[in-house]
């Protein structure tokens, strides 16, 4: 089985991709969060503009940039702007 | 609401403020809101709510705090969120409750989706029956 990360998509990101959860193939050595975001945007064109205003979460921690490496087995979440209340 | 007030009871807690957010029947492009569907990144949302409670206690001296949010479908007029704080005096309780609800909306990974009921098309008065007639 190829190396994969779990991608969680919420709210408008889920609607744009048509699913809330993806098992996304990645190289065995992983890839940068930036590359992952780019590949998701290429696969789901409607998701690309949503991700421009989204925050990203890697294994439960908010990313402050996209340089972090995402490795097989990681969980990567896309958070569009929040709207509770 | 009643349960929230009970949770905020305690000796010496003279200021109790509870904010309750209810679903409004707002007009939308597709009609009128009949319910909101809430979703969350649960693990992060729970951690964020706990963190807000901790800050409210530390910053405003809130001795008791409630910060609850419903998930799933919430019909119009029902309460979807409650933020409350109990302190010795009212000023700090107001400040704490406002802090809790504002920060919840801005920083907790919860989202809502509107579900609307289509508005009924306006019925046009039949010509010549009642109403103003031409001429």
């Amino acid at each position: 089985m190829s190396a994969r990360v779990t991608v969680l998509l919420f709210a408008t990101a889920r609607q744009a991709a048509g699913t809330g959860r993806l098992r996304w193939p990645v190289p065995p050595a992983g890839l940068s969060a930036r590359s992952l975001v780019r590949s998701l945007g290429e696969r789901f064109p409607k998701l690309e503009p949503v991700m421009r205003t989204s925050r990203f979460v890697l294994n439960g921690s908010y990313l402050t940039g996209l340089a972090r490496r995402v490795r097989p087995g990681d969980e990567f979440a896309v958070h569009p702007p929040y709207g509770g209340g | 609401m009643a349960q929230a007030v009970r949770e905020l009871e305690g000796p010496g807690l003279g200021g109790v403020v509870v904010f309750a957010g209810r679903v409004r029947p707002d007009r939308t492009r597709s009609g009128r809101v009949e319910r909101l569907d809430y979703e969350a990144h649960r693990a992060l949302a729970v951690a964020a709510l706990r963190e807000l409670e901790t800050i409210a206690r530390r910053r405003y001296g809130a001795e008791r705090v409630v910060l609850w949010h419903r998930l799933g479908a919430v019909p119009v007029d029902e309460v979807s969120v409650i933020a409350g704080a109990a302190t010795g005096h009212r000023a700090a309780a107001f400040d704490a409750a406002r802090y809790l609800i504002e920060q919840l909306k801005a920083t907790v990974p919860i989202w809502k989706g509107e579900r609307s009921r289509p508005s009924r098309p306006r019925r046009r008065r039949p010509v010549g029956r009642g109403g103003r007639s031409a001429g």
Side-chain angles (χ1 to χ4, degrees):
Chain A
M1 190 174 165
S2 62
R4 291 176 186 271
V5 299
T6 300
V7 178
L8 302 179
L9 302 156
F10 296 93
T12 50
R14 173 174 45 73
Q15 291 161 5
T19 181
R21 186 184 183 90
L22 295 164
R23 295 284 292 154
W24 196 254
V26 296
L31 76 180
S32 70
R34 180 170 287 103
S35 298
L36 175 58
V37 167
R38 187 182 305 125
S39 62
L40 288 168
E42 287 169 359
R43 172 66 181 80
F44 302 102
K46 289 181 184 171
L47 182 58
E48 197 273 330
V50 175
M51 290 193 294
R52 276 190 237 147
T53 57
S54 293
R55 300 175 76 185
F56 301 104
V57 181
L58 180 60
N59 299 326
S61 297
Y62 288 96
L63 294 180
T64 53
L66 293 175
R68 281 275 299 279
R69 196 148 199 87
V70 183
R71 300 180 185 282
D74 284 350
E75 182 184 85
F76 185 84
V78 179
H79 283 191
Y82 302 147
Chain B
M1 280 290 279
Q3 188 183 345
V5 172
R6 278 197 300 276
E7 294 275 342
L8 295 169
E9 288 175 353
L13 297 178
V16 177
V17 171
V18 181
F19 169 83
R22 294 167 66 212
V23 176
R24 291 186 305 265
D26 286 351
R27 284 182 189 279
T28 66
R29 273 180 298 180
S30 55
R32 192 176 282 281
V33 170
E34 62 177 348
R35 73 169 202 263
L36 295 178
D37 290 339
Y38 289 96
E39 64 180 292
H41 191 162
R42 282 178 185 252
L44 268 67
V46 168
L49 292 173
R50 287 185 180 150
E51 174 69 11
L52 291 178
E53 290 179 11
T54 300
I55 294 172
R57 292 175 195 277
R58 193 173 60 226
R59 185 178 297 177
Y60 301 100
E63 292 192 35
R64 293 181 187 270
V65 172
V66 294
L67 192 54
W68 300 334
H69 203 300
R70 290 173 65 182
L71 296 177
V74 181
V76 155
D77 291 339
E78 290 195 9
V79 172
S80 61
V81 61
I82 287 182
T87 63
H89 300 278
R90 68 182 181 280
F94 275 114
D95 290 346
R98 174 177 283 276
Y99 171 83
L100 288 166
I101 187 61
E102 300 295 348
Q103 289 298 307
L104 180 153
K105 292 171 81 75
T107 68
V108 178
I110 297 174
W111 300 268
K112 58 173 162 273
E114 292 175 346
R115 295 294 174 270
S116 299
R117 182 177 46 233
S119 301
R120 278 190 294 184
R122 279 187 177 174
R123 293 179 61 187
R124 301 182 68 175
R125 280 182 178 165
V127 175
R129 294 182 58 195
R132 270 184 234 163
S133 54

